[in-house]
Amino acid sequence: MKISYNWLKQFIKLPKNPEETGYLLTDLGLEVEGINNFQSIKGALEGIVTGHVLSCIPHPNADRLQLCKIDVGNGEALQIVCGAPNIAAGQNVPVATVGTTLYDDKGEAWEIKKGKIRGEASHGMVCSESELGLGSSHDGIMVLKEELKPGMRVAEIFEIENDQVFEIGLTPNRADAMSHWGVARDLKAGYQQQDLSLELITPSVSGFHVDSRSLRIPIHVENSNLAPRYCGVTISGIKVSDSPQWLQNRLKAIGINPKNNIVDATNYVMHELGQPLHAFDAEKIVGNEIHVKTVEAGTKFTTLDEVERELHAEDLMICDIEKPLCIAGVFGGIGSGVSENTTKLFIESAYFNPVSVRKTAKRHGLNTDASFRFERGIDPNITEYALKRVAILIKEVAGGEITSDIDDLYFKKVEDFQVFLTFEKVNKLIGQNLAEETIKSILASLEIRVNNVTETGMGLTIPSYRVDVQRESDVIEEILRVYGYNNIESGTKLNASIANSGKFEDYKLQNLIANQLVGQGFFETMANSLTTPTYIKLSEQLHEEQNVVMLNPLSQDLSVMRQSLLFSGLEAVSYNINRKQADLKLFEFGKTYHNYESGRIENKHLSLFVTGNKFSESWNTANSNGNFFYTKGSIERILERLGINSIKTGEVKSDVFSEGISISSGKAKLVEFGVIKKSILKHFGIQQEVLFADFNWDLVQETAKNQKTKFTAIPKFPAVRRDFALLIDNAVNYKQIEDIAKQTEKRLLQSVNLFDVYQGDKLPEGKKSYAVSFKFQDENNTLTDKQVDKIMNKLQHRFEQELQAELR
C-alpha cells in the first residue's frame, strides 16, 4: 500500500522527517518497506528558468534556424540557436540552461551542453511542453505569461510537487489503516506516546447542502445481509474534464493514473478515508431506480475492462430495472460508467458484506482497490460522511449542483464491540506492569472508550472500524504496539519447562527417517494440501463424496483437500522433468483428508518417488535406473531403522499401480508400492517410469512403538555357507524357495539369499536357473559337515518334491 507523506500532512502536522515517521509507522505495526521520492515532473524542472526573447534573426547557415538573444535574469543575454517556428522577440519562454538535465519520453536523461549548431554558438535550449513534461505538444516552444520576470524558476510557476511515498506492507487484519486518514490516526497515537500531542484534522463536510431535489433515484436493497448499508445521491450539471493538477499529483504519487475529474474524485476520497465509492452516469440508469440484488446464474455482464463475464447466482449486483450496472464492491460495468458526455451522476457509497465481496472477486479473478478494502472490512459508519465528502469535491472540480437528498438505507446499525480488559491479563501477556494511566492514555489515543474502571480491569467500547479488535488479547496487542515493543524491559530471570517426550514422538521419527533418506540421495518436498477435484477420476479408489471441499477456494484447481499424496507428488516430478531434471528421488511427509459419513478424517503418510537413474551421470559409474528392487530396498531400510523387522509381502490392491506389492506387519498394512500406471503418468505428461511408495505413517508409528527390542550375544561359533544351483520352472518364484527352506530347518538356518539368476538358450524351454545360498549357524557348537550335509539333503529332497527342481 502506498501512502503519500504530503497527503498525510493534511491530516496531521507531522513533527519529524519522512525517515523518522517511517520508523514510527513500522514500530506501530505498519511496516514501511521503503520510502520512494515522487516528482510530478521528472527532474522537477531543475535548471529551467524564464527567459525574455530580446531578438531573433535568421541563422546565417541554416534556413529554418534562428539566432536568439535571451535575457535569463543574470545581466547577460544568452545566444541560443532555436528551430521552433513560433519563437519571436518579446516572448517569455522556458530556457534550459547549460548543465540542466532533461528527460525524453522513455525517461532517459540527457544534459544540456555548450555547443555550436551550424557554426554558431548556442548556450542553452528553449523548451517545448513535451520536452519539459508539461504536455504533449511538439508544435513549437512553450510561451509563458507576459508578466513573468526573467530568471524565475519555472518549477515555482507550475507548482511542481515533490513528495515521499511510503511503501507499507499492510497485514490483512489492519483494515482500519487502508487510507491516509487511518494511517494518520495511528501516527497520532504513536506520537502521543512520545509526549507529542497532535491534532487529527478531519475533512469538513459542513459545506454539503442540497441545491435542488430535481433528480431523486430511489434505492431498493433486496438482500440486506449482503448490503447492510447503501447510500446514494445525485449531482447534475457537471462537466467531465481533466482533474486539476493538485488532484492529479496526489493520485500519481500513490501510483494511480488520473482519468477524469469524476473518477479521480472518487479515487481520491477512497484513498483519503478508506471508503470505496462509485459514480454512475445517471442518464444510463433505466427507470431511474437502483436495485441491489443477485441475478440469475449465467447472466452475461461486461465490465469496464471490456471483458464479458458470466455471473454467479451469489454475485451481488447493482442494477436498474432492466439490467446489471456494476458488480457490487468489485468492478463497474461498461454500460453505466462516466464518459466525457456525462452531465448527471448517481454516486454510490455502501458497506457490502466482506465475505460476499471476496468470493465474487476471487470467482471472477478481479482484484481492485475497492474489493481490497471491502474484503477486509471497512468502517460501516463513515458511509454517509464519505458520500458528502466526495459530493463536495466533485462540485469543486466539475461544477454542478446536488439534486437529491442522501438516500441512506442502514438496516441494522453495526454496533461497537464491548470488551472487558483485566489488568492482570495485560501485565501477564506484556510481561511488564504498565501504569493504569498509561493504559488509559493509549486506549484514548486509539479511540477506544473506557466505560468503567474497577479494581480488576476496565469495560471498553471498541470502535466498529476496528474489526480486528474483538477480544481482550486483541486490545492488549493494541496497547503493546503503541507502547512500543522496544520499550518492554527484558527480565533478569528466565523460566523454562522441560518437556517429557518419548523416543517415538512423531517429529523425532520423521527427523530420523528424513535424515536417512537424505543420506541416500532423496530430496524432501512439501506440496500444497489443496488440489483439483479432477484427480479423483484417475483412481477408482478415490470418491467424490469423500472430498473435503473448500467453502471459499482460491481457484477451481485448489478447491478440495487431497485424498492422496500421489498426484501432488507427480506434479513435482513433472515440473522437474520439464526442466531437465529427470533423475529424481523425492519424499514427502504429509496428510490426506477424507469426508466420511462418520466425520472428517486426516491421515498421515510418507510418500517416496523414484524415477530415472539412481546416481548422477559419471564416467566411472554405469547408468542404473532406480528400479522396483531398489525402491523395495529403500522401503525395507526405513522399516528396519524403526525396528520393524517382522514383515511380510502381499498383493497390492491399489489401481494406480501396473505392478506392485504391499508390506505388512501382523495385520497392519504399512506400505503399498509399485510402478505407476502409464495412463496416470500420461495425465501429467511423464513418459518415463515412476515408482511410488505410500507409507501409512500413522500405522508405521504405532507399529514401531509396539516393537520389542531383543538383544543377543555375538555368536562365538562360525557360520557355514552352502549353495544350490537349482533348475526350476519359470513359474516358480524365490519366495517359494525361501519359505520351503525356513520350514525345513527352523533352528540352524539363519538366512537364504538369491545371488544369481540365469535364463538363456542353454537351458530347456520354460526353465530358469536360480543360484541360492544358505547360511547355517549354531550358537552353542561348531557345526560339522555331517550336520550341514544332512540339512542340505533335506532341502534338496523338498525342492525336488514340491518344486520339481533339479540340481545343475
Side-chain angles (χ1 to χ4, degrees):
M1 184 181 71
K2 296 179 185 292
I3 294 293
S4 159
Y5 183 71
N6 288 348
W7 201 339
L8 275 179
K9 290 191 292 186
Q10 293 189 332
F11 294 101
I12 184 171
K13 296 189 182 301
L14 297 172
K16 299 184 179 180
N17 60 41
E19 288 73 20
E20 292 176 297
T21 302
Y23 286 127
L24 178 57
L25 285 173
T26 299
D27 289 343
L28 289 167
L30 303 178
E31 183 179 359
V32 176
E33 298 172 343
I35 303 177
N36 302 314
N37 291 322
F38 167 78
Q39 295 174 326
S40 55
I41 300 295
K42 191 164 186 178
L45 301 182
E46 284 296 322
I48 313 295
V49 297
T50 57
H52 182 70
V53 182
L54 302 175
S55 65
C56 285
I57 60 174
H59 192 292
N61 302 318
D63 294 338
R64 297 185 178 180
L65 300 179
Q66 297 189 67
L67 293 178
C68 303
K69 294 288 185 179
I70 301 179
D71 178 11
V72 293
N74 60 1
E76 182 179 348
L78 297 179
Q79 177 172 293
I80 297 177
V81 177
C82 181
N86 64 327
I87 192 166
Q91 293 175 337
N92 282 340
V93 294
V95 177
T97 56
V98 173
T100 298
T101 299
L102 296 178
Y103 298 86
D104 60 19
D105 294 339
K106 297 180 180 179
E108 298 289 336
W110 53 287
E111 186 179 341
I112 302 297
K113 298 179 180 179
K114 293 180 182 179
K116 287 188 176 183
I117 301 177
R118 295 288 184 92
E120 295 292 334
S122 183
H123 301 279
M125 186 179 84
V126 183
C127 303
S128 65
E129 283 185 2
S130 62
E131 289 164 337
L132 297 178
L134 294 171
S136 57
S137 175
H138 294 268
D139 295 339
I141 53 96
M142 186 177 189
V143 180
L144 303 176
K145 296 179 180 178
E146 294 182 0
E147 60 268 22
L148 298 177
K149 295 180 179 180
M152 290 182 62
R153 294 177 61 246
V154 173
E156 297 175 358
I157 301 170
F158 291 99
E159 298 179 357
I160 304 304
E161 176 122 356
N162 288 287
D163 198 357
Q164 286 79 39
V165 180
F166 300 110
E167 287 280 356
I168 293 179
L170 190 68
T171 53
N173 64 307
R174 290 302 307 276
D176 63 296
M178 295 185 297
S179 65
H180 287 75
W181 188 19
V183 173
R185 192 164 46 201
D186 249 23
L187 283 172
K188 176 179 180 291
Y191 278 122
Q192 185 169 317
Q193 190 59 30
Q194 298 179 6
D195 295 326
L196 294 172
S197 183
L198 304 176
E199 180 186 0
L200 187 63
I201 305 166
T202 55
S204 173
V205 294
S206 60
F208 178 88
H209 65 276
V210 179
D211 299 298
S212 69
R213 293 176 174 80
S214 57
L215 181 60
R216 180 175 181 267
I217 297 181
I219 301 167
H220 308 278
V221 177
E222 298 184 11
N223 190 331
S224 60
N225 290 327
L226 300 183
R229 188 175 190 183
Y230 193 95
C231 301
V233 73
T234 64
I235 304 176
S236 301
I238 59 99
K239 179 176 177 54
V240 178
S241 62
D242 290 338
S243 297
Q245 199 60 48
W246 70 266
L247 179 51
Q248 292 191 40
N249 289 341
R250 284 281 179 267
L251 297 178
K252 286 178 182 177
I254 59 173
I256 297 176
N257 292 324
K259 293 181 174 61
N260 58 56
N261 48 2
I262 305 301
V263 175
D264 293 350
T266 58
N267 281 333
Y268 180 87
V269 175
M270 175 174 65
H271 288 275
E272 179 184 54
L273 303 178
Q275 169 68 54
L277 301 139
H278 190 71
F280 298 85
D281 187 330
E283 294 182 326
K284 296 176 182 176
I285 300 175
V286 178
N288 273 4
E289 289 184 15
I290 288 291
H291 293 261
V292 184
K293 62 179 183 178
T294 55
V295 297
E296 186 177 348
T299 301
K300 304 294 184 182
F301 180 70
T302 303
T303 45
L304 283 170
D305 55 1
E306 300 182 359
V307 175
E308 185 179 72
R309 304 178 189 275
E310 189 172 297
L311 299 177
H312 189 273
E314 294 180 0
D315 292 339
L316 185 66
M317 304 297 295
I318 312 301
C319 310
D320 58 22
I321 64 172
E322 290 184 354
K323 62 186 182 302
L325 304 174
C326 174
I327 303 177
V330 181
F331 212 18
I334 198 168
S336 62
V338 174
S339 69
E340 59 184 9
N341 299 318
T342 299
T343 59
K344 298 179 181 179
L345 299 173
F346 172 77
I347 309 295
E348 161 197 285
S349 178
Y351 173 74
F352 296 118
N353 183 287
V355 175
S356 171
V357 173
R358 176 174 171 78
K359 285 184 176 180
T360 297
K362 293 296 181 185
R363 201 177 287 132
H364 296 289
L366 292 169
N367 183 21
T368 62
D369 283 340
S371 67
F372 175 82
R373 286 159 175 78
F374 279 123
E375 288 174 15
R376 286 157 176 77
I378 63 170
D379 182 0
N381 293 323
I382 68 163
T383 308
E384 183 183 18
Y385 168 71
L387 186 60
K388 290 180 178 180
R389 170 70 175 139
V390 78
I392 293 171
L393 183 57
I394 287 175
K395 285 184 66 175
E396 177 186 335
V397 299
E401 58 180 19
I402 297 172
T403 49
S404 74
D405 291 307
I406 290 179
D407 206 347
D408 183 4
L409 279 67
Y410 199 175
F411 298 94
K412 184 179 180 181
K413 181 174 171 47
V414 177
E415 299 295 338
D416 294 338
F417 307 113
Q418 304 296 320
V419 173
F420 187 80
L421 178 70
T422 58
F423 298 129
E424 181 184 2
K425 189 71 174 288
V426 172
N427 297 329
K428 182 178 179 181
L429 287 185
I430 291 179
Q432 181 174 320
N433 292 338
L434 297 186
E436 183 179 321
E437 290 306 314
T438 300
I439 296 174
K440 286 182 180 180
S441 173
I442 292 173
L443 293 175
S445 69
L446 292 169
E447 299 182 5
I448 297 175
R449 190 168 67 250
V450 178
N451 300 322
N452 54 75
V453 180
T454 67
E455 291 184 1
T456 59
M458 303 176 180
L460 307 176
T461 298
I462 315 297
S464 58
Y465 64 80
R466 289 309 305 267
V467 294
D468 60 320
V469 183
Q470 300 184 22
R471 304 168 301 169
E472 183 181 17
S473 56
D474 296 330
V475 177
I476 297 172
E477 183 182 357
E478 289 297 293
I479 294 171
L480 182 55
R481 73 178 182 85
V482 175
Y483 182 77
Y485 291 95
N486 297 333
N487 295 324
I488 300 298
E489 298 175 359
S490 298
T492 56
K493 182 180 179 182
L494 180 64
N495 296 322
S497 300
I498 299 175
N500 181 20
S501 62
K503 67 177 182 179
F504 293 106
E505 292 290 336
D506 184 41
Y507 75 93
K508 289 186 177 180
L509 296 184
Q510 282 194 48
N511 289 339
L512 182 72
I513 298 307
N515 288 335
Q516 176 172 313
L517 288 169
V518 169
Q520 295 175 357
F522 280 78
F523 288 89
E524 185 171 9
T525 65
M526 187 178 293
N528 197 337
S529 296
L530 297 174
T531 188
T532 173
T534 59
Y535 283 159
I536 63 171
K537 299 177 182 177
L538 300 178
S539 172
E540 293 181 0
Q541 292 179 304
L542 304 179
H543 306 285
E544 185 175 1
E545 62 272 14
Q546 292 179 7
N547 274 336
V548 177
V549 182
M550 306 303 294
L551 294 176
N552 187 21
L554 296 171
S555 68
Q556 186 59 27
D557 288 339
L558 298 171
S559 59
V560 299
M561 306 291 282
R562 62 182 175 183
Q563 292 190 42
S564 170
L565 269 63
L566 171 62
F567 307 115
S568 55
L570 288 177
E571 288 177 352
V573 171
S574 175
Y575 182 90
N576 280 275
I577 290 175
N578 290 337
R579 285 153 182 81
K580 307 300 181 182
Q581 299 294 326
D583 303 328
L584 301 169
K585 291 186 289 185
L586 309 174
F587 73 96
E588 178 187 5
F589 288 98
K591 289 185 176 181
T592 59
Y593 307 84
H594 308 270
N595 189 17
Y596 298 118
E597 289 184 2
S598 57
R600 294 174 179 166
I601 294 179
E602 299 179 9
N603 295 319
K604 191 75 170 285
H605 291 260
L606 164 63
S607 63
L608 304 184
F609 292 87
V610 177
T611 185
N613 293 324
K614 287 187 287 186
F615 308 108
S616 300
E617 189 176 39
S618 175
W619 67 273
N620 63 352
T621 305
N623 287 341
S624 176
N625 286 339
N627 56 24
F628 187 92
F629 297 102
Y630 172 77
T631 309
K632 182 172 180 287
S634 298
I635 293 169
E636 290 174 346
R637 297 294 82 76
I638 291 172
L639 297 177
E640 287 177 6
R641 189 69 182 85
L642 295 172
I644 305 173
N645 296 306
S646 179
I647 60 174
K648 59 183 179 180
T649 59
E651 181 184 357
V652 69
K653 295 183 180 180
S654 176
D655 62 350
V656 301
F657 300 113
S658 58
E659 56 179 321
I661 61 173
S662 65
I663 297 178
S664 304
S665 178
K667 295 183 179 180
K669 184 180 290 185
L670 304 180
V671 191
E672 287 187 339
F673 86 98
V675 180
I676 303 297
K677 283 183 176 179
K678 290 184 177 179
S679 58
I680 294 177
L681 297 179
K682 184 179 179 181
H683 183 84
F684 294 89
I686 301 172
Q687 297 179 355
Q688 62 193 56
E689 183 180 82
V690 179
L691 291 115
F692 168 63
D694 182 19
F695 289 74
N696 186 329
W697 187 253
D698 293 323
L699 280 179
V700 169
Q701 186 179 0
E702 191 63 32
T703 303
K705 289 180 181 178
N706 296 327
Q707 296 298 306
K708 293 184 178 180
T709 304
K710 296 181 180 179
F711 298 92
T712 57
I714 298 174
K716 297 179 180 180
F717 302 97
V720 176
R721 168 177 162 163
R722 294 287 177 89
D723 298 341
F724 272 160
L726 299 173
L727 185 66
I728 54 178
D729 293 334
N730 285 336
V732 176
N733 60 48
Y734 166 72
K735 185 71 167 57
Q736 292 172 279
I737 296 173
E738 183 183 35
D739 290 344
I740 290 173
K742 289 181 177 180
Q743 292 168 9
T744 303
E745 179 54 51
K746 296 181 179 178
R747 188 175 72 87
L748 299 179
L749 181 63
Q750 299 295 315
S751 64
V752 183
N753 180 48
L754 175 66
F755 63 89
D756 187 44
V757 177
Y758 174 72
Q759 291 175 295
D761 54 6
K762 295 181 180 180
L763 298 179
E765 187 176 352
K767 296 288 185 176
K768 61 185 177 182
S769 175
Y770 272 11
V772 185
S773 68
F774 303 89
K775 179 183 174 183
F776 304 99
Q777 191 173 35
D778 189 338
E779 296 179 359
N780 301 313
N781 297 290
T782 300
L783 290 173
T784 65
D785 287 343
K786 185 177 179 180
Q787 288 175 292
V788 176
D789 288 343
K790 183 179 180 180
I791 298 171
M792 293 300 291
N793 288 334
K794 286 183 182 179
L795 291 174
Q796 180 182 348
H797 178 72
R798 289 201 63 179
F799 292 151
E800 290 173 346
Q801 290 293 318
E802 298 182 26
L803 303 178
Q804 288 73 52
E806 300 175 24
L807 288 182
R808 290 184 66 197

